[in-house]
Coordinates of all heavy atoms in Angstrom, one line a residue:
M1 N -6.0 25.3 16.3 CA -6.9 24.3 15.5 C -7.7 23.6 16.5 O -7.4 23.2 17.6 CB -6.0 23.5 14.7 CG -6.7 22.7 13.9 SD -5.7 21.5 12.8 CE -4.8 22.6 12.0
S2 N -9.1 23.6 16.3 CA -9.9 22.9 17.2 C -9.7 21.4 17.1 O -9.2 20.9 16.1 CB -11.4 23.2 16.8 OG -11.8 22.6 15.8
I3 N -10.2 20.6 18.1 CA -10.0 19.3 18.1 C -10.9 18.6 17.1 O -10.4 17.6 16.5 CB -10.5 18.7 19.6 CG1 -9.4 19.1 20.6 CG2 -10.6 17.2 19.6 CD1 -9.7 18.9 22.0
E4 N -12.0 19.2 16.8 CA -13.0 18.7 15.8 C -12.3 18.8 14.4 O -12.4 18.0 13.5 CB -14.3 19.4 15.8 CG -15.3 18.8 14.8 CD -16.6 19.4 15.0 OE1 -17.1 19.5 16.1 OE2 -17.2 20.0 13.9
T5 N -11.7 19.9 14.1 CA -11.0 20.2 12.9 C -9.8 19.1 12.8 O -9.6 18.6 11.6 CB -10.5 21.6 12.7 OG1 -11.6 22.4 12.8 CG2 -9.8 21.8 11.4
L6 N -9.0 19.0 13.8 CA -7.9 18.0 13.7 C -8.4 16.6 13.5 O -7.7 15.9 12.8 CB -7.1 18.2 15.1 CG -5.9 17.3 15.1 CD1 -4.8 17.8 14.1 CD2 -5.1 17.5 16.6
S7 N -9.5 16.3 14.1 CA -10.0 15.0 14.0 C -10.5 14.7 12.5 O -10.3 13.7 12.0 CB -11.2 14.7 14.8 OG -11.8 13.5 14.6
E8 N -11.1 15.7 12.0 CA -11.5 15.6 10.5 C -10.3 15.6 9.6 O -10.4 14.8 8.6 CB -12.4 16.9 10.1 CG -13.7 17.0 10.8 CD -14.5 18.4 10.4 OE1 -13.9 19.1 9.7 OE2 -15.5 18.5 11.1
Q9 N -9.3 16.4 9.9 CA -8.1 16.2 9.0 C -7.3 14.8 9.2 O -6.9 14.3 8.3 CB -7.2 17.4 9.4 CG -7.6 18.8 8.9 CD -6.6 19.9 9.3 OE1 -5.7 19.7 10.1 NE2 -6.8 20.9 8.7
S10 N -7.4 14.3 10.3 CA -6.9 13.0 10.6 C -7.5 12.0 9.7 O -7.0 11.1 9.2 CB -6.9 12.7 12.1 OG -5.9 13.4 12.7
E11 N -8.9 12.2 9.8 CA -9.8 11.1 9.2 C -9.5 11.2 7.6 O -9.4 10.2 6.9 CB -11.1 11.3 9.5 CG -11.6 10.9 10.7 CD -13.1 11.2 11.1 OE1 -13.8 11.5 10.2 OE2 -13.3 11.2 12.3
K12 N -9.4 12.4 7.1 CA -9.0 12.7 5.7 C -7.7 12.2 5.3 O -7.5 11.5 4.3 CB -9.2 14.1 5.3 CG -10.6 14.7 5.2 CD -10.5 16.1 5.0 CE -11.9 16.8 5.0 NZ -12.0 18.2 4.8
A13 N -6.7 12.4 6.2 CA -5.4 11.9 5.9 C -5.3 10.5 5.9 O -4.7 9.8 4.9 CB -4.5 12.4 7.0
Y14 N -5.9 9.8 6.8 CA -6.0 8.2 6.8 C -6.7 7.6 5.6 O -6.2 6.7 4.9 CB -6.6 7.7 8.1 CG -6.5 6.3 8.2 CD1 -5.3 5.7 8.7 CD2 -7.5 5.4 7.8 CE1 -5.1 4.4 8.8 CE2 -7.3 4.0 8.0 CZ -6.1 3.5 8.4 OH -6.1 2.1 8.6
A15 N -7.7 8.4 5.3 CA -8.5 8.0 4.0 C -7.7 8.1 2.7 O -7.8 7.2 2.0 CB -9.8 8.7 3.9
L16 N -6.9 9.1 2.8 CA -6.0 9.4 1.5 C -4.9 8.3 1.5 O -4.6 7.8 0.4 CB -5.6 10.8 1.4 CG -6.4 11.9 1.2 CD1 -5.8 13.3 1.3 CD2 -7.0 11.8 -0.2
L17 N -4.4 8.0 2.6 CA -3.4 6.9 2.7 C -3.8 5.6 2.3 O -3.3 4.9 1.5 CB -2.7 6.9 4.1 CG -1.9 8.2 4.4 CD1 -1.5 8.1 6.0 CD2 -0.6 8.3 3.6
K18 N -5.0 5.3 2.8 CA -5.7 4.0 2.5 C -5.9 4.0 0.9 O -5.9 2.9 0.3 CB -7.0 3.9 3.3 CG -7.7 2.6 3.1 CD -7.9 1.9 4.5 CE -8.6 0.7 4.4 NZ -7.7 -0.5 4.4
E19 N -6.4 5.0 0.4 CA -6.7 5.2 -1.0 C -5.4 5.0 -1.7 O -5.4 4.1 -2.8 CB -7.2 6.5 -1.3 CG -7.8 6.7 -2.8 CD -8.5 8.1 -2.8 OE1 -9.4 8.3 -2.2 OE2 -7.9 8.8 -3.7
D20 N -4.4 5.5 -1.4 CA -3.0 5.3 -2.1 C -2.6 3.7 -1.9 O -2.0 3.2 -2.8 CB -2.0 6.2 -1.5 CG -2.1 7.5 -2.0 OD1 -3.0 7.9 -2.9 OD2 -1.4 8.5 -1.5
A21 N -2.8 3.1 -0.8 CA -2.6 1.8 -0.6 C -3.3 0.9 -1.6 O -2.8 -0.1 -2.2 CB -2.8 1.4 0.8
E22 N -4.6 1.2 -1.7 CA -5.5 0.5 -2.6 C -5.0 0.5 -4.1 O -5.1 -0.3 -4.8 CB -6.9 0.9 -2.5 CG -7.4 0.4 -1.1 CD -8.8 1.0 -0.8 OE1 -9.4 1.8 -1.6 OE2 -9.4 0.9 0.4
K23 N -4.6 1.8 -4.4 CA -4.1 2.0 -5.7 C -2.8 1.1 -6.0 O -2.7 0.6 -7.1 CB -3.6 3.4 -6.0 CG -4.9 4.4 -6.1 CD -4.3 5.9 -6.2 CE -5.5 6.8 -6.3 NZ -5.0 8.3 -6.2
I24 N -2.0 0.9 -5.0 CA -0.8 0.2 -5.2 C -1.2 -1.3 -5.4 O -0.7 -2.0 -6.4 CB 0.2 0.2 -3.9 CG1 0.7 1.6 -3.8 CG2 1.2 -0.8 -3.9 CD1 1.6 1.9 -2.6
V25 N -2.2 -1.8 -4.6 CA -2.8 -3.2 -4.9 C -3.2 -3.3 -6.4 O -2.9 -4.3 -7.0 CB -3.8 -3.6 -3.9 CG1 -4.5 -4.9 -4.2 CG2 -3.1 -3.5 -2.5
K26 N -4.0 -2.4 -6.7 CA -4.7 -2.5 -8.2 C -3.6 -2.4 -9.2 O -3.5 -3.2 -10.2 CB -5.6 -1.4 -8.4 CG -6.9 -1.5 -7.5 CD -8.0 -0.7 -8.0 CE -9.3 -0.8 -7.2 NZ -9.7 -2.1 -6.7
L27 N -2.5 -1.6 -8.9 CA -1.5 -1.4 -10.0 C -0.6 -2.8 -10.0 O -0.3 -3.3 -11.0 CB -0.5 -0.3 -9.5 CG 0.8 -0.3 -10.3 CD1 0.5 0.3 -11.7 CD2 1.9 0.7 -9.6
I28 N -0.4 -3.4 -8.8 CA 0.4 -4.6 -8.8 C -0.5 -5.8 -9.4 O -0.1 -6.7 -10.2 CB 0.8 -4.9 -7.5 CG1 1.8 -3.8 -7.0 CG2 1.5 -6.2 -7.2 CD1 3.1 -3.7 -7.9
E29 N -1.8 -5.8 -9.0 CA -2.7 -6.7 -9.6 C -2.7 -6.7 -11.1 O -2.6 -7.8 -11.8 CB -4.0 -6.4 -9.0 CG -5.1 -7.6 -9.4 CD -6.3 -7.3 -8.7 OE1 -7.0 -6.2 -8.8 OE2 -7.0 -8.1 -7.9
V30 N -2.7 -5.5 -11.8 CA -2.8 -5.4 -13.2 C -1.4 -5.9 -13.8 O -1.3 -6.7 -14.7 CB -3.0 -3.9 -13.6 CG1 -2.9 -3.7 -15.1 CG2 -4.6 -3.6 -13.4
Q31 N -0.4 -5.5 -13.1 CA 1.0 -5.9 -13.6 C 1.2 -7.3 -13.6 O 1.7 -7.9 -14.4 CB 2.0 -5.1 -12.7 CG 3.4 -5.3 -13.2 CD 4.4 -4.5 -12.4 OE1 4.2 -4.0 -11.5 NE2 5.7 -4.6 -13.0
M32 N 0.7 -8.0 -12.4 CA 0.9 -9.4 -12.3 C 0.0 -10.2 -13.3 O 0.4 -11.2 -13.8 CB 0.5 -9.9 -10.9 CG 1.7 -9.5 -9.9 SD 1.4 -10.0 -8.2 CE 1.8 -11.8 -8.4
K33 N -1.2 -9.6 -13.7 CA -2.1 -10.4 -14.6 C -1.7 -10.2 -16.0 O -1.9 -11.1 -16.9 CB -3.5 -9.8 -14.4 CG -4.2 -10.4 -13.1 CD -5.6 -10.0 -13.1 CE -6.3 -10.4 -11.8 NZ -7.6 -9.8 -11.7
N34 N -1.2 -9.1 -16.3 CA -1.0 -8.8 -17.7 C 0.4 -8.6 -18.2 O 0.7 -8.8 -19.5 CB -1.8 -7.6 -18.0 CG -3.2 -7.6 -17.8 OD1 -3.8 -8.6 -18.2 ND2 -3.7 -6.7 -17.1
L35 N 1.3 -8.3 -17.3 CA 2.6 -7.8 -17.8 C 3.8 -8.7 -17.5 O 4.6 -9.2 -18.4 CB 2.9 -6.4 -17.3 CG 1.9 -5.3 -17.6 CD1 2.2 -4.0 -17.1 CD2 1.8 -5.1 -19.2
T36 N 4.1 -8.9 -16.2 CA 5.2 -9.6 -15.9 C 5.1 -10.6 -14.7 O 4.1 -10.7 -14.1 CB 6.3 -8.4 -15.4 OG1 5.6 -7.9 -14.1 CG2 6.6 -7.5 -16.4
M37 N 6.1 -11.3 -14.6 CA 6.1 -12.3 -13.5 C 6.7 -11.6 -12.3 O 7.4 -10.6 -12.4 CB 7.1 -13.5 -13.8 CG 6.7 -14.3 -15.1 SD 5.2 -15.3 -14.6 CE 6.0 -16.5 -13.4
P38 N 6.3 -12.1 -11.0 CA 6.8 -11.5 -9.8 C 8.3 -11.5 -9.7 O 8.8 -10.7 -8.9 CB 6.0 -12.2 -8.7 CG 4.9 -12.9 -9.3 CD 5.4 -13.2 -10.7
Q39 N 9.0 -12.4 -10.4 CA 10.5 -12.4 -10.2 C 11.2 -11.4 -11.1 O 12.4 -11.2 -11.1 CB 11.1 -13.7 -10.6 CG 10.6 -15.0 -9.6 CD 9.1 -15.5 -10.1 OE1 8.6 -15.1 -11.1 NE2 8.7 -16.4 -9.2
C40 N 10.3 -10.7 -12.0 CA 10.9 -9.8 -12.9 C 11.4 -8.5 -12.2 O 10.8 -8.0 -11.4 CB 9.8 -9.3 -13.8 SG 10.2 -8.0 -15.1
P41 N 12.6 -7.9 -12.5 CA 13.1 -6.8 -12.0 C 12.2 -5.6 -12.1 O 12.1 -4.8 -11.2 CB 14.5 -6.6 -12.7 CG 14.8 -7.7 -13.2 CD 13.5 -8.6 -13.6
L42 N 11.5 -5.5 -13.2 CA 10.5 -4.3 -13.3 C 9.4 -4.5 -12.3 O 9.2 -3.4 -11.6 CB 9.9 -4.4 -14.7 CG 8.8 -3.3 -15.1 CD1 9.5 -2.0 -14.9 CD2 8.3 -3.6 -16.4
Y43 N 8.9 -5.6 -12.1 CA 7.9 -5.9 -11.1 C 8.3 -5.3 -9.7 O 7.8 -4.7 -9.0 CB 7.4 -7.2 -11.1 CG 6.5 -7.7 -9.8 CD1 5.2 -7.4 -9.7 CD2 7.2 -8.2 -8.7 CE1 4.5 -7.8 -8.6 CE2 6.5 -8.5 -7.6 CZ 5.2 -8.3 -7.6 OH 4.4 -8.7 -6.4
E44 N 9.6 -5.8 -9.5 CA 10.1 -5.6 -8.1 C 10.4 -4.2 -7.9 O 10.2 -3.5 -6.8 CB 11.4 -6.4 -7.9 CG 11.1 -7.9 -7.7 CD 12.4 -8.7 -7.6 OE1 13.5 -8.1 -7.5 OE2 12.2 -10.0 -7.6
E45 N 10.8 -3.6 -9.0 CA 11.2 -2.1 -9.0 C 9.9 -1.2 -8.7 O 9.9 -0.3 -8.0 CB 11.8 -1.6 -10.2 CG 12.2 -0.2 -10.2 CD 13.5 0.1 -9.3 OE1 14.3 -0.7 -9.1 OE2 13.6 1.3 -8.9
V46 N 8.9 -1.6 -9.4 CA 7.5 -0.9 -9.3 C 7.0 -1.1 -7.8 O 6.6 -0.1 -7.2 CB 6.5 -1.4 -10.3 CG1 5.1 -0.8 -10.0 CG2 6.9 -1.0 -11.7
L47 N 7.0 -2.3 -7.3 CA 6.5 -2.5 -6.0 C 7.5 -1.9 -4.9 O 6.8 -1.2 -4.1 CB 6.6 -4.0 -5.8 CG 6.1 -4.5 -4.3 CD1 4.7 -4.0 -4.0 CD2 6.1 -6.0 -4.3
D48 N 8.7 -1.9 -5.1 CA 9.6 -1.2 -4.1 C 9.4 0.3 -4.1 O 9.3 1.0 -3.1 CB 11.0 -1.6 -4.4 CG 11.5 -2.9 -4.0 OD1 10.7 -3.6 -3.4 OD2 12.5 -3.4 -4.5
T49 N 9.2 0.8 -5.3 CA 9.1 2.4 -5.5 C 7.7 2.8 -4.8 O 7.6 3.8 -4.0 CB 9.2 2.8 -6.9 OG1 10.5 2.4 -7.4 CG2 8.9 4.2 -7.2
Q50 N 6.7 2.0 -5.2 CA 5.2 2.4 -4.7 C 5.3 2.2 -3.1 O 4.7 3.1 -2.4 CB 4.3 1.5 -5.3 CG 4.1 1.7 -6.7 CD 3.6 3.1 -7.1 OE1 2.7 3.7 -6.4 NE2 4.3 3.7 -8.0
M51 N 5.9 1.1 -2.6 CA 5.9 1.0 -1.1 C 6.7 2.0 -0.5 O 6.3 2.5 0.6 CB 6.4 -0.5 -0.8 CG 5.5 -1.6 -1.2 SD 3.9 -1.5 -0.3 CE 4.3 -2.1 1.3
F52 N 7.9 2.4 -1.0 CA 8.7 3.3 -0.4 C 8.0 4.7 -0.4 O 7.9 5.5 0.6 CB 9.9 3.6 -1.2 CG 10.9 4.7 -0.6 CD1 11.6 4.5 0.6 CD2 10.9 5.9 -1.2 CE1 12.4 5.5 1.1 CE2 11.7 6.9 -0.8 CZ 12.4 6.7 0.4
G53 N 7.3 5.0 -1.6 CA 6.5 6.3 -1.6 C 5.4 6.3 -0.5 O 5.2 7.4 0.2
L54 N 4.6 5.3 -0.3 CA 3.6 5.3 0.7 C 4.2 5.3 2.1 O 3.6 6.0 2.9 CB 2.7 3.9 0.5 CG 1.6 3.8 1.5 CD1 0.6 5.0 1.2 CD2 1.0 2.5 1.4
S55 N 5.3 4.7 2.2 CA 5.9 4.7 3.6 C 6.3 6.2 4.0 O 6.1 6.5 5.1 CB 7.1 3.8 3.7 OG 8.2 4.1 3.0
R56 N 6.8 6.9 2.9 CA 7.1 8.2 3.2 C 6.0 9.1 3.5 O 6.0 10.0 4.3 CB 7.9 8.9 1.9 CG 9.2 8.1 1.7 CD 10.2 7.9 2.9 NE 10.5 9.1 3.5 CZ 10.7 9.3 4.8 NH1 10.8 8.1 5.6 NH2 11.0 10.4 5.4
E57 N 4.9 8.9 2.7 CA 3.7 9.5 3.0 C 3.1 9.3 4.4 O 2.7 10.3 5.1 CB 2.5 9.1 2.0 CG 2.6 9.6 0.6 CD 1.4 9.0 -0.2 OE1 0.3 9.2 0.2 OE2 1.8 8.5 -1.3
I58 N 3.3 8.1 4.8 CA 2.8 7.8 6.2 C 3.6 8.4 7.3 O 3.2 9.0 8.2 CB 2.7 6.2 6.4 CG1 1.6 5.6 5.5 CG2 2.6 5.9 7.8 CD1 1.6 4.1 5.4
D59 N 5.0 8.4 7.0 CA 5.9 9.0 7.9 C 5.6 10.6 8.0 O 5.5 11.0 9.1 CB 7.3 8.8 7.4 CG 7.8 7.5 7.7 OD1 7.2 6.7 8.5 OD2 8.9 7.2 7.1
F60 N 5.1 11.1 7.0 CA 5.0 12.6 6.9 C 3.7 12.8 7.7 O 3.5 13.7 8.6 CB 4.8 13.2 5.5 CG 4.6 14.6 5.4 CD1 5.6 15.4 5.7 CD2 3.2 15.0 4.9 CE1 5.4 16.8 5.6 CE2 3.1 16.4 4.8 CZ 4.2 17.3 5.1
A61 N 2.6 12.0 7.5 CA 1.4 12.2 8.2 C 1.5 11.9 9.7 O 0.9 12.6 10.6 CB 0.2 11.2 7.6
I62 N 2.4 11.0 10.1 CA 2.6 10.8 11.4 C 3.4 12.0 12.1 O 3.0 12.4 13.2 CB 3.6 9.5 11.6 CG1 2.7 8.3 11.4 CG2 4.2 9.4 13.0 CD1 3.6 7.0 11.2
R63 N 4.4 12.5 11.4 CA 5.0 13.7 11.9 C 4.1 14.8 12.2 O 4.3 15.7 13.1 CB 6.2 14.1 11.0 CG 7.4 13.1 11.2 CD 8.6 13.5 10.5 NE 8.2 14.1 9.2 CZ 9.0 14.2 8.1 NH1 10.2 13.9 8.1 NH2 8.5 14.5 6.9
L64 N 3.1 15.0 11.2 CA 2.1 16.1 11.4 C 1.0 15.7 12.4 O 0.3 16.6 12.7 CB 1.4 16.3 10.0 CG 2.4 17.0 9.0 CD1 1.4 17.1 7.7 CD2 2.8 18.3 9.5
K65 N 1.2 14.5 13.1 CA 0.2 14.0 13.9 C -1.2 13.9 13.4 O -2.2 14.0 14.1 CB 0.2 14.8 15.3 CG 1.6 14.9 15.9 CD 1.6 15.3 17.3 CE 2.8 15.4 18.0 NZ 3.8 14.4 17.9
L66 N -1.3 13.5 12.1 CA -2.6 13.3 11.6 C -3.0 11.9 11.5 O -4.1 11.6 11.6 CB -2.6 13.7 10.0 CG -2.3 15.2 9.8 CD1 -2.1 15.5 8.3 CD2 -3.5 15.9 10.3
V67 N -2.0 11.0 11.7 CA -2.2 9.5 12.0 C -1.1 9.1 13.0 O -0.1 9.7 13.2 CB -2.1 8.6 10.8 CG1 -3.2 9.0 9.7 CG2 -0.8 8.6 10.2
S68 N -1.7 8.1 13.8 CA -0.7 7.5 14.8 C 0.3 6.6 14.1 O 0.1 6.1 13.1 CB -1.5 6.9 15.9 OG -2.0 5.7 15.4
E69 N 1.4 6.4 14.9 CA 2.4 5.4 14.4 C 1.7 4.1 14.3 O 2.1 3.4 13.3 CB 3.5 5.4 15.3 CG 4.8 5.8 14.8 CD 6.0 5.7 15.8 OE1 6.2 6.6 16.6 OE2 6.7 4.6 15.7
E70 N 0.9 3.7 15.1 CA 0.1 2.4 15.2 C -0.7 2.3 13.9 O -0.6 1.2 13.1 CB -0.6 2.2 16.3 CG -1.3 0.9 16.4 CD -2.2 0.7 17.6 OE1 -1.9 1.3 18.6 OE2 -3.1 -0.1 17.6
E71 N -1.5 3.3 13.6 CA -2.3 3.4 12.4 C -1.4 3.3 11.0 O -1.8 2.4 10.2 CB -3.1 4.6 12.3 CG -4.3 4.7 13.2 CD -4.9 6.1 13.2 OE1 -4.2 7.1 13.2 OE2 -6.2 6.1 13.2
G72 N -0.3 3.9 10.9 CA 0.5 3.8 9.9 C 1.1 2.5 9.7 O 1.2 1.9 8.6
R73 N 1.6 1.9 10.8 CA 2.3 0.6 10.8 C 1.2 -0.4 10.4 O 1.4 -1.3 9.5 CB 2.9 0.2 12.1 CG 3.8 -0.9 12.1 CD 4.5 -1.1 13.4 NE 3.9 -0.6 14.6 CZ 4.2 0.5 15.2 NH1 5.2 1.2 14.9 NH2 3.5 0.8 16.5
K74 N 0.0 -0.3 10.8 CA -1.1 -1.1 10.5 C -1.5 -1.1 9.0 O -1.7 -2.1 8.4 CB -2.3 -0.9 11.5 CG -3.5 -1.8 11.2 CD -4.7 -1.4 12.1 CE -5.9 -2.3 11.9 NZ -7.0 -1.9 12.7
L75 N -1.5 0.0 8.5 CA -1.8 0.3 7.1 C -0.8 -0.4 6.2 O -1.1 -1.2 5.4 CB -2.0 1.8 6.8 CG -2.4 2.0 5.4 CD1 -3.7 1.6 5.0 CD2 -2.4 3.7 5.3
L76 N 0.5 -0.2 6.4 CA 1.5 -1.0 5.8 C 1.4 -2.4 5.9 O 1.7 -3.1 4.9 CB 2.9 -0.4 6.1 CG 3.4 1.0 5.6 CD1 4.6 1.5 6.2 CD2 3.5 1.0 4.1
T77 N 1.3 -2.9 7.2 CA 1.2 -4.4 7.4 C 0.0 -4.8 6.5 O 0.2 -6.0 5.9 CB 1.0 -4.6 8.8 OG1 2.2 -4.0 9.5 CG2 0.9 -6.2 9.1
Q78 N -1.2 -4.3 6.5 CA -2.3 -4.7 5.8 C -2.0 -4.8 4.4 O -2.3 -5.7 3.6 CB -3.6 -3.8 6.1 CG -4.1 -4.0 7.5 CD -5.2 -2.9 7.7 OE1 -5.2 -1.9 7.0 NE2 -6.1 -3.2 8.6
L79 N -1.3 -3.8 3.8 CA -0.9 -3.6 2.4 C 0.0 -4.8 2.1 O -0.1 -5.4 1.0 CB -0.4 -2.4 2.0 CG 0.2 -2.1 0.6 CD1 -1.1 -2.4 -0.4 CD2 0.8 -0.8 0.4
E80 N 1.0 -5.0 2.9 CA 1.9 -6.2 2.5 C 1.3 -7.5 2.6 O 1.5 -8.3 1.8 CB 3.1 -6.1 3.7 CG 4.0 -5.0 3.5 CD 5.0 -4.7 4.6 OE1 4.8 -5.4 5.7 OE2 5.9 -3.9 4.6
Q81 N 0.3 -7.8 3.5 CA -0.5 -8.8 3.5 C -1.3 -9.1 2.2 O -1.5 -10.2 1.7 CB -1.4 -9.0 4.8 CG -0.6 -9.1 6.1 CD -1.5 -8.9 7.3 OE1 -2.6 -8.4 7.3 NE2 -0.9 -9.4 8.4
Q82 N -1.9 -8.0 1.8 CA -2.8 -8.0 0.6 C -1.9 -8.4 -0.6 O -2.3 -9.2 -1.4 CB -3.5 -6.8 0.3 CG -4.7 -6.5 1.1 CD -5.3 -5.1 0.8 OE1 -4.7 -4.1 1.1 NE2 -6.3 -5.1 0.0
L83 N -0.8 -7.8 -0.7 CA 0.2 -8.1 -1.8 C 0.7 -9.4 -1.8 O 0.8 -10.1 -2.8 CB 1.3 -7.0 -1.8 CG 0.9 -5.5 -2.2 CD1 2.1 -4.7 -2.0 CD2 0.3 -5.5 -3.5
S84 N 1.0 -9.9 -0.6 CA 1.5 -11.3 -0.4 C 0.5 -12.3 -0.9 O 0.7 -13.3 -1.7 CB 1.9 -11.6 1.1 OG 2.3 -12.9 1.2
A85 N -0.9 -12.1 -0.4 CA -1.9 -12.9 -0.8 C -2.2 -12.9 -2.5 O -2.4 -13.9 -3.1 CB -3.3 -12.6 -0.2
L86 N -2.1 -11.7 -2.9 CA -2.2 -11.5 -4.4 C -1.2 -12.3 -5.1 O -1.4 -13.0 -6.1 CB -2.2 -10.1 -4.7 CG -2.3 -9.6 -6.3 CD1 -3.6 -10.1 -6.8 CD2 -2.2 -8.2 -6.4
H87 N 0.1 -12.1 -4.6 CA 1.2 -12.8 -5.3 C 1.0 -14.4 -5.2 O 1.3 -15.1 -6.3 CB 2.5 -12.5 -4.5 CG 3.7 -13.4 -5.0 ND1 4.3 -13.1 -6.1 CD2 4.3 -14.3 -4.4 CE1 5.3 -14.0 -6.3 NE2 5.3 -14.7 -5.2
E88 N 0.6 -14.9 -4.1 CA 0.4 -16.3 -3.9 C -0.8 -16.9 -4.8 O -0.7 -17.9 -5.4 CB 0.1 -16.6 -2.4 CG 1.3 -16.6 -1.6 CD 0.9 -16.7 -0.1 OE1 0.0 -17.4 0.3 OE2 1.7 -16.2 0.8
A89 N -1.8 -16.1 -4.9 CA -3.0 -16.5 -5.7 C -2.6 -16.5 -7.2 O -3.0 -17.4 -8.1 CB -4.1 -15.5 -5.6
T90 N -1.8 -15.4 -7.6 CA -1.4 -15.4 -9.0 C -0.5 -16.5 -9.3 O -0.6 -17.1 -10.4 CB -0.6 -14.0 -9.2 OG1 -1.5 -13.0 -9.0 CG2 -0.2 -14.0 -10.7
M91 N 0.5 -16.9 -8.4 CA 1.4 -18.0 -8.6 C 0.7 -19.4 -8.8 O 0.9 -20.1 -9.6 CB 2.4 -18.0 -7.6 CG 3.4 -16.9 -7.6 SD 4.0 -16.5 -9.2 CE 5.2 -17.9 -9.4
R92 N -0.3 -19.6 -7.9 CA -1.1 -20.7 -7.8 C -1.9 -20.8 -9.2 O -1.9 -21.9 -9.7 CB -2.1 -20.8 -6.7 CG -1.5 -21.4 -5.4 CD -2.6 -21.7 -4.5 NE -3.5 -20.6 -4.1 CZ -3.3 -19.7 -3.3 NH1 -2.2 -19.6 -2.5 NH2 -4.2 -18.7 -2.9
A93 N -2.4 -19.7 -9.6 CA -3.3 -19.7 -10.9 C -2.4 -20.1 -12.0 O -2.7 -20.9 -13.0 CB -3.9 -18.4 -11.1
R94 N -1.2 -19.5 -12.1 CA -0.2 -19.9 -13.2 C 0.2 -21.2 -13.1 O 0.4 -22.0 -14.2 CB 1.0 -18.9 -13.1 CG 0.6 -17.4 -13.5 CD 1.8 -16.6 -13.8 NE 1.4 -15.2 -14.2 CZ 2.0 -14.2 -13.9 NH1 3.1 -14.1 -13.3 NH2 1.5 -13.1 -14.4
E95 N 0.5 -21.8 -11.9 CA 0.9 -23.3 -11.9 C -0.3 -24.1 -12.3 O 0.0 -25.2 -13.0 CB 1.1 -23.6 -10.5 CG 2.6 -23.0 -9.9 CD 2.7 -23.3 -8.4 OE1 1.9 -23.9 -7.7 OE2 3.8 -22.7 -8.0
N96 N -1.5 -23.7 -12.0 CA -2.7 -24.5 -12.4 C -3.0 -24.4 -13.9 O -3.4 -25.5 -14.5 CB -4.0 -24.2 -11.7 CG -3.9 -24.5 -10.3 OD1 -3.2 -25.5 -9.8 ND2 -4.7 -23.8 -9.4
N97 N -2.4 -23.5 -14.5 CA -2.6 -23.3 -15.9 C -1.6 -23.8 -16.8 O -1.6 -23.9 -18.1 CB -2.9 -21.7 -16.3 CG -4.2 -21.2 -16.0 OD1 -5.1 -21.9 -15.7 ND2 -4.2 -19.9 -15.7
A98 N -0.5 -24.2 -16.1 CA 0.8 -24.7 -16.8 C 0.5 -26.2 -17.1 O -0.1 -26.9 -16.7 CB 2.0 -24.5 -15.9

């Protein structure tokens, strides 16, 4: 496999992983706005399941050398930070509306 092809595949793999991370944020955002409280077991189960699935995807891409360990770790860290910020914003909004 040529270096150019490998680079293209790495870029595609990272883009797909980033897309999956964004889907998790949107799913959790909808769930927090419309369905449940963050302390709800259903919320926690969905979040845990989605995060586990993404971490497995990232591990797989790392083993195939499509993304580096650092890129994978960075993607998960960014997602965790986004979800934390979303959680905090939702809780503040609920407190202000109470």
